[in-house]
Amino acid sequence: MKERLKKNWKLFLIASLTLGLSPFREPHIWGKIKWILGGNAFSGEHAMKGQDWFDVLLHGTPWILLIISGVLNLSKKK
């Protein structure tokens, strides 16, 4: 599993730049992160619903995988 994460960094990069940043005008992940941190751009009082958390998962997963792959590739080999 660790080797697959290390080896697939290019796939994770492409996924981050496409799915992770879609839609390109204002990426969902950026809006959702602001919403989670309390800077809700959608009128301030609405709580996040299930579909909003799914959106965070969908658009955030490529970034998490890219970060993990980068850390594994940059860490010393044992």
Coordinates of all heavy atoms in Angstrom, one line a residue:
M1 N 0.8 -1.2 0.0 CA 0.0 0.0 0.0 C 0.9 1.3 0.0 O 0.6 2.2 -0.7 CB -0.9 0.0 1.2 CG -1.7 1.2 1.4 SD -3.2 1.1 0.4 CE -4.2 2.3 1.1
K2 N 1.9 1.2 0.8 CA 2.8 2.4 0.9 C 3.5 2.6 -0.4 O 3.6 3.8 -0.8 CB 3.8 2.1 2.1 CG 4.5 3.3 2.6 CD 5.4 2.9 3.7 CE 6.0 4.0 4.5 NZ 6.8 3.6 5.6
E3 N 3.9 1.6 -1.0 CA 4.6 1.7 -2.3 C 3.7 2.2 -3.4 O 4.1 3.0 -4.3 CB 5.2 0.4 -2.7 CG 6.4 0.0 -1.9 CD 7.5 1.0 -2.0 OE1 7.9 1.5 -3.1 OE2 8.1 1.3 -0.9
R4 N 2.4 1.8 -3.4 CA 1.5 2.3 -4.3 C 1.2 3.8 -4.1 O 1.1 4.6 -5.1 CB 0.1 1.6 -4.2 CG 0.2 0.2 -4.7 CD -1.0 -0.6 -4.4 NE -1.8 -0.7 -5.7 CZ -3.0 -1.2 -5.7 NH1 -3.6 -1.6 -4.6 NH2 -3.6 -1.3 -6.9
L5 N 1.2 4.3 -2.9 CA 1.0 5.7 -2.6 C 2.2 6.5 -3.1 O 2.1 7.6 -3.7 CB 0.8 5.9 -1.1 CG -0.6 5.6 -0.6 CD1 -0.6 5.6 0.9 CD2 -1.6 6.5 -1.1
K6 N 3.4 5.9 -2.9 CA 4.6 6.6 -3.4 C 4.7 6.7 -4.9 O 5.1 7.7 -5.5 CB 5.8 5.9 -2.8 CG 6.1 6.1 -1.4 CD 7.2 5.2 -0.8 CE 8.5 5.8 -1.3 NZ 9.7 5.1 -0.7
K7 N 4.3 5.6 -5.5 CA 4.5 5.4 -7.0 C 3.4 6.3 -7.8 O 3.7 6.7 -8.9 CB 4.4 4.0 -7.4 CG 4.7 3.6 -8.8 CD 4.8 2.2 -9.0 CE 3.5 1.4 -8.9 NZ 3.6 0.1 -9.3
N8 N 2.2 6.5 -7.2 CA 1.2 7.1 -8.0 C 1.0 8.6 -7.8 O 0.0 9.2 -8.0 CB -0.2 6.4 -7.6 CG -0.3 5.0 -8.2 OD1 0.2 4.8 -9.3 ND2 -0.9 4.1 -7.4
W9 N 2.1 9.3 -7.5 CA 2.1 10.7 -7.2 C 1.6 11.5 -8.4 O 0.9 12.5 -8.3 CB 3.4 11.2 -6.7 CG 4.5 11.3 -7.7 CD1 5.4 10.2 -8.0 CD2 4.8 12.3 -8.6 NE1 6.2 10.6 -9.0 CE2 5.9 11.9 -9.4 CE3 4.3 13.6 -8.9 CZ2 6.5 12.7 -10.4 CZ3 4.8 14.4 -9.8 CH2 5.9 13.9 -10.6
K10 N 1.9 11.0 -9.6 CA 1.5 11.8 -10.9 C 0.0 11.7 -11.0 O -0.7 12.7 -11.4 CB 2.1 11.2 -12.1 CG 3.6 11.4 -12.1 CD 4.3 10.8 -13.3 CE 5.8 10.9 -13.3 NZ 6.4 10.1 -14.4
L11 N -0.6 10.5 -10.7 CA -2.1 10.4 -10.8 C -2.7 11.3 -9.8 O -3.7 12.0 -10.1 CB -2.4 8.9 -10.5 CG -3.9 8.6 -10.4 CD1 -4.6 8.9 -11.7 CD2 -4.1 7.2 -9.9
F12 N -2.2 11.3 -8.6 CA -2.7 12.2 -7.5 C -2.6 13.7 -7.9 O -3.5 14.5 -7.6 CB -2.1 11.9 -6.2 CG -2.2 10.5 -5.7 CD1 -1.2 9.9 -5.0 CD2 -3.3 9.7 -6.0 CE1 -1.2 8.6 -4.6 CE2 -3.4 8.4 -5.6 CZ -2.4 7.9 -4.8
L13 N -1.5 14.0 -8.5 CA -1.4 15.4 -9.0 C -2.4 15.8 -10.0 O -3.1 16.9 -9.9 CB 0.0 15.6 -9.5 CG 0.3 17.0 -10.1 CD1 0.2 18.1 -9.0 CD2 1.7 17.1 -10.7
I14 N -2.6 14.9 -11.0 CA -3.6 15.2 -12.0 C -5.0 15.2 -11.4 O -5.8 16.1 -11.8 CB -3.6 14.1 -13.1 CG1 -2.3 14.3 -13.9 CG2 -4.8 14.2 -14.1 CD1 -2.0 13.1 -14.9
A15 N -5.3 14.3 -10.5 CA -6.6 14.3 -9.9 C -6.8 15.6 -9.0 O -7.9 16.2 -9.0 CB -6.8 13.1 -9.0
S16 N -5.8 16.1 -8.4 CA -5.9 17.3 -7.6 C -6.1 18.5 -8.4 O -6.9 19.4 -8.1 CB -4.6 17.5 -6.8 OG -4.4 16.5 -5.8
L17 N -5.5 18.6 -9.6 CA -5.6 19.7 -10.5 C -6.9 19.7 -11.3 O -7.3 20.7 -11.8 CB -4.4 19.8 -11.4 CG -3.1 20.1 -10.8 CD1 -2.0 20.0 -11.8 CD2 -3.1 21.4 -10.0
T18 N -7.6 18.5 -11.4 CA -8.8 18.5 -12.1 C -10.0 18.4 -11.1 O -10.7 19.4 -10.9 CB -8.9 17.3 -13.1 OG1 -8.5 16.1 -12.4 CG2 -7.9 17.5 -14.2
L19 N -10.2 17.2 -10.5 CA -11.3 17.0 -9.6 C -11.1 17.9 -8.3 O -12.1 18.4 -7.8 CB -11.4 15.5 -9.2 CG -12.5 15.2 -8.2 CD1 -13.9 15.5 -8.8 CD2 -12.4 13.7 -7.8
G20 N -9.9 18.0 -7.9 CA -9.7 18.7 -6.6 C -9.9 20.2 -6.8 O -10.2 20.9 -5.8
L21 N -9.8 20.8 -8.0 CA -10.0 22.2 -8.2 C -11.3 22.5 -9.0 O -11.5 23.7 -9.3 CB -8.8 22.8 -8.9 CG -7.5 22.9 -8.1 CD1 -6.4 23.5 -9.0 CD2 -7.7 23.8 -6.9
S22 N -12.1 21.5 -9.3 CA -13.3 21.8 -10.0 C -14.4 22.4 -9.1 O -14.4 22.1 -7.9 CB -13.8 20.6 -10.7 OG -14.3 19.6 -9.8
P23 N -15.3 23.2 -9.5 CA -15.3 24.0 -10.8 C -14.2 25.0 -10.7 O -13.9 25.5 -9.7 CB -16.7 24.6 -10.9 CG -17.1 24.7 -9.5 CD -16.5 23.6 -8.8
F24 N -13.6 25.4 -11.8 CA -12.4 26.2 -11.9 C -12.6 27.6 -11.6 O -11.7 28.3 -11.2 CB -11.7 26.0 -13.2 CG -11.3 24.6 -13.5 CD1 -11.9 23.8 -14.4 CD2 -10.3 24.0 -12.7 CE1 -11.5 22.5 -14.6 CE2 -9.9 22.7 -12.9 CZ -10.5 21.9 -13.8
R25 N -13.8 28.1 -11.7 CA -14.1 29.5 -11.4 C -13.9 29.8 -9.9 O -13.2 30.7 -9.5 CB -15.5 29.9 -11.8 CG -15.8 31.4 -11.5 CD -17.1 31.9 -12.1 NE -16.9 32.0 -13.5 CZ -17.9 32.2 -14.4 NH1 -19.1 32.3 -13.9 NH2 -17.7 32.3 -15.6
E26 N -14.6 29.0 -9.0 CA -14.3 29.0 -7.6 C -14.4 27.6 -7.1 O -15.5 27.1 -7.0 CB -15.3 29.9 -6.8 CG -14.9 29.9 -5.3 CD -15.8 30.8 -4.4 OE1 -16.4 31.7 -5.0 OE2 -15.9 30.5 -3.2
P27 N -13.3 27.0 -6.8 CA -13.3 25.5 -6.5 C -14.1 25.3 -5.2 O -14.1 26.0 -4.3 CB -11.8 25.3 -6.2 CG -11.0 26.3 -6.9 CD -11.9 27.5 -6.9
H28 N -14.9 24.2 -5.3 CA -15.8 23.8 -4.2 C -15.0 23.6 -2.9 O -15.4 23.9 -1.9 CB -16.5 22.4 -4.5 CG -17.7 22.6 -5.4 ND1 -18.8 23.4 -5.1 CD2 -17.9 22.1 -6.6 CE1 -19.7 23.3 -6.0 NE2 -19.2 22.6 -7.0
I29 N -13.8 23.0 -3.1 CA -13.0 22.6 -1.9 C -12.7 23.9 -1.1 O -12.7 24.0 0.1 CB -11.8 21.8 -2.2 CG1 -11.1 21.2 -0.9 CG2 -10.8 22.5 -3.0 CD1 -12.0 20.2 -0.2
W30 N -12.3 25.0 -1.8 CA -12.0 26.2 -1.2 C -13.2 26.8 -0.5 O -13.1 27.3 0.7 CB -11.4 27.2 -2.2 CG -11.0 28.5 -1.6 CD1 -11.6 29.7 -1.8 CD2 -10.0 28.8 -0.7 NE1 -11.0 30.7 -1.1 CE2 -10.0 30.1 -0.4 CE3 -9.1 27.9 -0.1 CZ2 -9.1 30.7 0.5 CZ3 -8.2 28.5 0.8 CH2 -8.2 29.8 1.1
G31 N -14.4 26.8 -1.1 CA -15.6 27.3 -0.4 C -15.9 26.5 0.8 O -16.4 27.0 1.8
K32 N -15.8 25.2 0.7 CA -16.1 24.3 1.8 C -15.2 24.5 3.0 O -15.6 24.4 4.1 CB -16.2 22.8 1.4 CG -17.2 22.5 0.3 CD -18.6 22.8 0.7 CE -19.5 22.5 -0.5 NZ -20.9 22.7 -0.2
I33 N -13.9 24.6 2.7 CA -12.9 24.9 3.7 C -13.2 26.2 4.5 O -13.2 26.2 5.7 CB -11.5 24.9 3.2 CG1 -11.1 23.5 2.8 CG2 -10.5 25.4 4.2 CD1 -9.8 23.4 2.0
K34 N -13.5 27.2 3.7 CA -13.9 28.5 4.3 C -15.2 28.3 5.2 O -15.3 28.9 6.3 CB -14.2 29.6 3.3 CG -12.9 30.0 2.6 CD -13.1 31.3 1.8 CE -14.1 31.1 0.6 NZ -14.1 32.2 -0.3
W35 N -16.1 27.5 4.7 CA -17.4 27.2 5.4 C -17.1 26.5 6.7 O -17.6 26.9 7.8 CB -18.3 26.4 4.5 CG -19.7 26.4 4.9 CD1 -20.3 26.9 6.1 CD2 -20.8 25.8 4.2 NE1 -21.6 26.7 6.1 CE2 -22.0 26.0 4.9 CE3 -20.9 25.2 3.0 CZ2 -23.2 25.6 4.5 CZ3 -22.1 24.8 2.5 CH2 -23.3 25.0 3.3
I36 N -16.2 25.5 6.7 CA -15.9 24.7 7.9 C -15.2 25.6 8.9 O -15.4 25.5 10.1 CB -15.0 23.5 7.5 CG1 -15.8 22.5 6.7 CG2 -14.3 22.9 8.7 CD1 -15.0 21.4 6.1
L37 N -14.3 26.5 8.4 CA -13.6 27.4 9.3 C -14.4 28.6 9.8 O -13.9 29.4 10.6 CB -12.3 27.9 8.6 CG -11.3 26.8 8.3 CD1 -10.1 27.4 7.5 CD2 -10.8 26.1 9.5
G38 N -15.6 28.7 9.4 CA -16.5 29.7 9.9 C -16.7 30.9 9.0 O -17.6 31.7 9.4
G39 N -16.1 30.9 7.9 CA -16.3 32.1 7.0 C -17.2 31.7 5.9 O -16.9 31.7 4.7
N40 N -18.4 31.2 6.3 CA -19.4 30.8 5.4 C -19.8 31.8 4.3 O -20.3 32.9 4.7 CB -20.7 30.3 6.1 CG -21.7 29.7 5.2 OD1 -21.5 29.6 4.0 ND2 -22.8 29.3 5.8
A41 N -19.5 31.5 3.1 CA -19.8 32.5 2.0 C -21.3 32.4 1.6 O -21.7 33.1 0.8 CB -18.9 32.1 0.8
F42 N -22.0 31.5 2.3 CA -23.4 31.3 1.9 C -24.4 31.8 3.0 O -25.3 31.1 3.4 CB -23.7 29.8 1.7 CG -22.8 29.1 0.7 CD1 -21.8 28.3 1.2 CD2 -22.9 29.3 -0.6 CE1 -20.9 27.7 0.3 CE2 -22.0 28.7 -1.5 CZ -21.0 27.9 -1.0
S43 N -24.2 33.0 3.4 CA -25.1 33.7 4.3 C -24.9 33.5 5.8 O -25.6 34.0 6.6 CB -26.6 33.5 4.0 OG -27.1 32.3 4.5
G44 N -23.9 32.7 6.2 CA -23.5 32.6 7.6 C -24.2 31.7 8.6 O -23.7 31.4 9.6
E45 N -25.5 31.4 8.3 CA -26.3 30.7 9.3 C -26.5 29.2 9.0 O -27.0 28.5 9.9 CB -27.6 31.4 9.6 CG -27.5 32.8 10.2 CD -26.9 32.7 11.6 OE1 -27.2 31.7 12.4 OE2 -26.1 33.6 12.0
H46 N -26.3 28.8 7.8 CA -26.6 27.4 7.4 C -25.5 26.4 7.9 O -24.4 26.6 7.6 CB -26.8 27.3 5.9 CG -27.8 28.3 5.4 ND1 -29.2 28.1 5.7 CD2 -27.7 29.4 4.6 CE1 -29.9 29.1 5.1 NE2 -29.0 29.9 4.4
A47 N -26.0 25.3 8.5 CA -25.1 24.3 8.8 C -24.8 23.4 7.6 O -25.6 23.3 6.7 CB -25.7 23.4 9.9
M48 N -23.6 22.8 7.6 CA -23.3 21.9 6.5 C -24.2 20.7 6.5 O -24.4 20.1 7.6 CB -21.8 21.6 6.5 CG -21.0 22.7 6.0 SD -19.2 22.4 5.9 CE -19.1 21.1 4.8
K49 N -24.6 20.2 5.4 CA -25.4 19.0 5.3 C -24.6 17.9 4.8 O -23.4 18.0 4.5 CB -26.6 19.3 4.3 CG -27.5 20.4 4.8 CD -28.6 20.6 3.8 CE -29.4 21.8 4.2 NZ -30.3 22.3 3.2
G50 N -25.2 16.7 4.7 CA -24.5 15.5 4.3 C -23.8 15.7 2.9 O -22.7 15.3 2.7
Q51 N -24.5 16.3 2.0 CA -24.0 16.5 0.6 C -22.8 17.4 0.7 O -21.8 17.3 -0.2 CB -25.0 16.9 -0.4 CG -25.4 18.4 -0.2 CD -26.5 18.8 -1.2 OE1 -27.4 18.0 -1.5 NE2 -26.4 19.9 -1.8
D52 N -22.8 18.4 1.6 CA -21.6 19.3 1.7 C -20.4 18.5 2.2 O -19.3 18.8 1.7 CB -21.9 20.4 2.6 CG -23.1 21.3 2.1 OD1 -23.1 21.6 0.9 OD2 -24.0 21.6 2.9
W53 N -20.6 17.6 3.2 CA -19.4 16.9 3.7 C -18.9 15.9 2.6 O -17.8 15.6 2.5 CB -19.8 16.1 5.0 CG -19.9 17.1 6.1 CD1 -21.1 17.5 6.8 CD2 -18.9 17.7 6.8 NE1 -20.8 18.3 7.8 CE2 -19.4 18.5 7.8 CE3 -17.5 17.8 6.6 CZ2 -18.7 19.3 8.6 CZ3 -16.7 18.6 7.5 CH2 -17.3 19.3 8.5
F54 N -19.9 15.3 1.8 CA -19.5 14.5 0.7 C -18.7 15.2 -0.3 O -17.7 14.7 -0.8 CB -20.7 13.8 0.1 CG -20.4 13.0 -1.1 CD1 -19.8 11.7 -0.9 CD2 -20.6 13.4 -2.4 CE1 -19.4 10.9 -2.0 CE2 -20.3 12.6 -3.5 CZ -19.7 11.4 -3.3
D55 N -19.1 16.5 -0.5 CA -18.3 17.3 -1.5 C -16.9 17.6 -1.0 O -15.9 17.6 -1.7 CB -19.1 18.7 -1.6 CG -19.0 19.2 -3.0 OD1 -18.8 18.5 -3.9 OD2 -19.3 20.4 -3.1
V56 N -16.8 17.8 0.3 CA -15.4 18.0 0.9 C -14.6 16.7 0.7 O -13.4 16.8 0.3 CB -15.5 18.3 2.4 CG1 -14.2 18.3 3.1 CG2 -16.1 19.7 2.6
L57 N -15.2 15.6 1.0 CA -14.5 14.3 0.8 C -14.1 14.1 -0.7 O -13.0 13.7 -1.0 CB -15.4 13.2 1.3 CG -14.9 11.8 1.1 CD1 -13.7 11.5 2.1 CD2 -15.9 10.7 1.4
L58 N -15.0 14.4 -1.6 CA -14.8 14.1 -3.0 C -13.7 15.0 -3.5 O -12.8 14.6 -4.2 CB -16.1 14.4 -3.8 CG -16.0 14.2 -5.3 CD1 -15.8 12.7 -5.6 CD2 -17.3 14.7 -5.9
H59 N -13.7 16.3 -3.2 CA -12.8 17.3 -3.8 C -11.5 17.3 -2.9 O -10.5 17.8 -3.4 CB -13.4 18.7 -3.9 CG -14.5 18.8 -4.9 ND1 -14.2 18.8 -6.2 CD2 -15.8 18.8 -4.7 CE1 -15.4 18.9 -6.9 NE2 -16.4 18.9 -6.0
G60 N -11.5 16.8 -1.7 CA -10.4 16.9 -0.8 C -9.5 15.6 -0.9 O -8.3 15.7 -0.6
T61 N -10.1 14.5 -1.2 CA -9.3 13.3 -1.3 C -8.1 13.3 -2.2 O -7.0 12.9 -1.7 CB -10.2 12.1 -1.6 OG1 -11.2 12.0 -0.6 CG2 -9.5 10.8 -1.7
P62 N -8.2 13.8 -3.4 CA -6.9 13.9 -4.2 C -5.8 14.7 -3.6 O -4.6 14.3 -3.7 CB -7.4 14.6 -5.5 CG -8.9 14.4 -5.6 CD -9.3 14.3 -4.1
W63 N -6.2 15.8 -2.9 CA -5.2 16.6 -2.2 C -4.5 15.8 -1.1 O -3.3 15.9 -0.9 CB -5.8 17.9 -1.7 CG -6.2 18.8 -2.8 CD1 -7.4 19.0 -3.3 CD2 -5.3 19.5 -3.7 NE1 -7.4 19.9 -4.3 CE2 -6.1 20.2 -4.6 CE3 -3.9 19.7 -3.7 CZ2 -5.6 21.1 -5.6 CZ3 -3.4 20.6 -4.7 CH2 -4.2 21.2 -5.6
I64 N -5.3 15.1 -0.3 CA -4.8 14.3 0.8 C -3.8 13.2 0.3 O -2.7 13.0 0.8 CB -5.9 13.7 1.7 CG1 -6.8 14.8 2.3 CG2 -5.4 12.8 2.7 CD1 -6.1 15.7 3.2
L65 N -4.3 12.5 -0.7 CA -3.4 11.5 -1.3 C -2.1 12.1 -1.9 O -1.0 11.5 -1.7 CB -4.2 10.7 -2.4 CG -5.3 9.9 -1.9 CD1 -6.1 9.3 -3.1 CD2 -4.8 8.7 -1.0
L66 N -2.2 13.3 -2.5 CA -1.0 13.9 -3.0 C 0.0 14.3 -1.9 O 1.2 14.1 -2.0 CB -1.4 15.1 -3.9 CG -0.2 15.9 -4.5 CD1 0.5 15.0 -5.5 CD2 -0.8 17.2 -5.2
I67 N -0.6 14.8 -0.8 CA 0.3 15.2 0.3 C 0.9 13.9 0.9 O 2.1 13.9 1.2 CB -0.5 15.9 1.4 CG1 -0.9 17.3 0.8 CG2 0.2 16.1 2.7 CD1 -2.0 18.1 1.6
I68 N 0.2 12.9 1.1 CA 0.7 11.6 1.7 C 1.8 11.1 0.8 O 2.9 10.7 1.2 CB -0.4 10.6 1.9 CG1 -1.3 11.0 3.0 CG2 0.2 9.2 2.2 CD1 -2.6 10.2 3.2
S69 N 1.5 11.1 -0.5 CA 2.5 10.6 -1.5 C 3.8 11.4 -1.5 O 4.9 10.9 -1.5 CB 1.9 10.6 -2.9 OG 2.8 10.1 -3.8
G70 N 3.6 12.7 -1.4 CA 4.8 13.6 -1.3 C 5.6 13.4 -0.1 O 6.9 13.3 -0.2
V71 N 5.0 13.2 1.0 CA 5.7 13.0 2.3 C 6.4 11.7 2.2 O 7.6 11.6 2.6 CB 4.7 13.0 3.5 CG1 5.4 12.5 4.7 CG2 4.2 14.4 3.7
L72 N 5.8 10.7 1.7 CA 6.4 9.4 1.6 C 7.6 9.4 0.6 O 8.7 8.8 0.9 CB 5.5 8.3 1.1 CG 4.4 7.9 2.1 CD1 3.4 6.9 1.5 CD2 5.0 7.2 3.3
N73 N 7.5 10.1 -0.5 CA 8.6 10.2 -1.4 C 9.7 11.1 -0.9 O 10.9 10.9 -1.3 CB 8.1 10.8 -2.8 CG 7.4 9.7 -3.6 OD1 8.0 8.6 -3.8 ND2 6.2 10.0 -4.1
L74 N 9.5 12.1 -0.1 CA 10.5 12.9 0.4 C 11.2 12.4 1.7 O 12.3 12.9 2.0 CB 9.9 14.3 0.7 CG 9.5 15.1 -0.6 CD1 8.8 16.4 -0.2 CD2 10.7 15.3 -1.5
S75 N 10.5 11.5 2.4 CA 11.1 10.9 3.6 C 12.3 10.0 3.2 O 12.3 9.4 2.1 CB 10.1 10.2 4.4 OG 9.6 9.1 3.7
K76 N 13.1 9.8 4.2 CA 14.3 9.0 4.0 C 13.9 7.5 3.8 O 13.0 7.1 4.6 CB 15.3 9.1 5.1 CG 16.0 10.4 5.2 CD 17.0 10.4 6.3 CE 17.7 11.8 6.4 NZ 18.6 11.8 7.5
K77 N 14.5 6.8 2.9 CA 14.2 5.4 2.8 C 14.9 4.6 3.9 O 16.0 4.9 4.2 CB 14.7 4.9 1.4 CG 13.9 5.5 0.3 CD 14.3 4.9 -1.0 CE 13.5 5.6 -2.2 NZ 13.9 5.0 -3.4
K78 N 14.1 3.7 4.4 CA 14.7 2.9 5.6 C 14.9 1.5 5.1 O 14.3 0.9 4.3 CB 13.7 2.9 6.7 CG 13.6 4.3 7.3 CD 12.7 4.3 8.5 CE 12.7 5.7 9.1 NZ 11.9 5.7 10.3

